Amino acid sequence: MNHSKPSILIADDDENVLSALTLALKCENYQINKATTPHQVITLLSRKQFSCLLLDLNYTQDTTSGSEGMQLIEAIRNIDSHVPIIAMTGYSSVDIAVEMMKLGANDFIEKPWRNAQLSNKIKQQIERVNIVRRNEKLSQTNALLTNKQQGVIAHSAEMRQVLTQIERIAVSDMNVLFTGENGTGKSMLAHYLHQHSTRNNNSFIAVNMGAITESLFESEMFGHVKGAFTDAKEDRIGRFELASQGTLFLDEIANINLNQQAKLLHILEERKFERVGSHITLEADVRVISATNANLEQLVIEKLFRQDLLYRLNTVEIRIPSLKERVDDIIPLATYFIEQFCQKYRMP
């Protein structure tokens, strides 16, 4: 899991103010970045995701109107709609404060500030935006998880052996490839593996790779920022980000082309990615489970599937037996499905 310090960007044209704030906030265990101009703020913001911005309203053009700071807040909100902004001014008034809030500032503080008050405001804003981001992620996750979890039926020795293998592997963080015929339960067993893993308190995100067109592949998998392309009306979180610290299940993995395979390989090797239209690099902290009914080794020979990608995906390969190989499960499965449909249709 990521336990990095929250990062604060301080912007002020007065070096004494920057030094005093840096000293005060480093004691609070924050990572500090500094900027002396609005241009530097925008440059830094395009390269890194910050936990909070502490912005002076006045720079070089004038000393009291706050117009530069207000233009800066507007520009920041076009880049990042969530990052907390606390504005600083030595000449604050109700009118300026109201205007700042309209443009997207979350709070303001007057100079000279009290360290305890400033610290509280920063903590409140970081906590608030973390809740907003968690809720956004949760709502998108819930939209993807439309199928209810099904029970795992394993009366046969063959399936009990598979479950034992899954449970043993689940506690590690190795990538797993499920193979087997259509309908053998690969998706269900991927979820079963996630439930038995150390990541089970975080998201399980399933993606049908065969249903994603090449033109939407990067946007679906890595996300995009508002304005990245014609139809990008708002920021979108991709599947890798949704699955952060959890499990990403890539179903029908054989159905992506060589171009898509290259992009997927890159993220699996580097463990980093960027949303489409953004230069901010994000960590890919996910466990990848994939599944296919195809013979990937044969596809590698035919040069339709990358050998290096297969190597990344199948740290462990688990073959799921077909129903004809697990005859002892036929009656229990039939009974289970009858019970499910009786409940669904309210019939005996």
Side-chain angles (χ1 to χ4, degrees), residues 179-324:
T179 58
E181 296 176 16
N182 276 337
T184 50
K186 295 185 290 293
S187 301
M188 180 185 63
L189 291 170
H191 197 271
Y192 183 84
L193 190 153
H194 170 73
Q195 287 177 311
H196 286 80
S197 76
T198 55
R199 295 173 175 264
N200 60 4
N201 288 326
N202 296 301
S203 300
F204 174 85
I205 301 297
V207 190
N208 181 349
M209 303 301 282
I212 299 178
T213 62
E214 183 167 10
S215 61
L216 291 176
F217 181 80
E218 287 182 90
S219 175
E220 286 288 334
M221 300 305 294
F222 314 137
H224 64 246
V225 295
K226 180 181 177 182
F229 47 87
T230 306
D231 293 326
K233 307 296 185 192
E234 58 187 4
D235 289 359
R236 177 185 172 86
I237 297 177
R239 307 302 174 89
F240 271 92
E241 197 172 346
L242 282 170
S244 181
Q245 300 183 3
T247 301
L248 182 63
F249 175 50
L250 308 178
D251 199 7
E252 298 187 25
I253 189 65
N255 289 353
I256 59 173
N257 63 35
L258 290 168
N259 185 36
Q260 293 165 317
Q261 290 172 33
K263 292 170 183 173
L264 184 58
L265 175 66
H266 179 74
I267 193 172
L268 294 178
E269 288 180 335
E270 300 297 326
R271 311 297 293 180
K272 298 178 189 299
F273 66 98
E274 294 167 356
R275 290 182 180 182
V276 179
S278 171
H279 299 296
I280 297 172
T281 300
L282 303 172
E283 296 290 329
D285 179 9
V286 300
R287 191 219 191 121
V288 175
I289 303 174
S290 45
T292 183
N293 64 334
N295 184 337
L296 292 183
E297 297 283 359
Q298 183 60 36
L299 292 179
V300 168
I301 293 169
E302 295 171 7
K303 301 194 182 306
L304 296 174
F305 202 87
R306 295 180 62 121
Q307 175 77 58
D308 44 7
L309 178 57
L310 178 58
Y311 172 77
R312 289 283 171 185
L313 295 173
N314 74 338
T315 308
V316 177
E317 182 177 335
I318 300 177
R319 181 184 166 277
I320 311 304
S322 63
L323 196 55
K324 65 189 174 194

Side-chain angles (χ1 to χ4, degrees), residues 34-72:
K34 294 179 282 188
T36 55
T37 66
H39 177 72
Q40 285 180 1
V41 172
I42 297 302
T43 301
L44 286 167
L45 199 59
S46 68
R47 294 175 183 165
K48 181 177 176 181
Q49 191 167 48
F50 290 94
S51 305
C52 188
L53 309 183
L54 203 52
L55 305 180
D56 186 31
L57 286 185
N58 302 294
Y59 295 85
T60 53
Q61 288 179 10
D62 54 44
T63 56
T64 60
S65 74
S67 62
E68 283 180 293
M70 289 180 187
Q71 288 168 15
L72 178 57

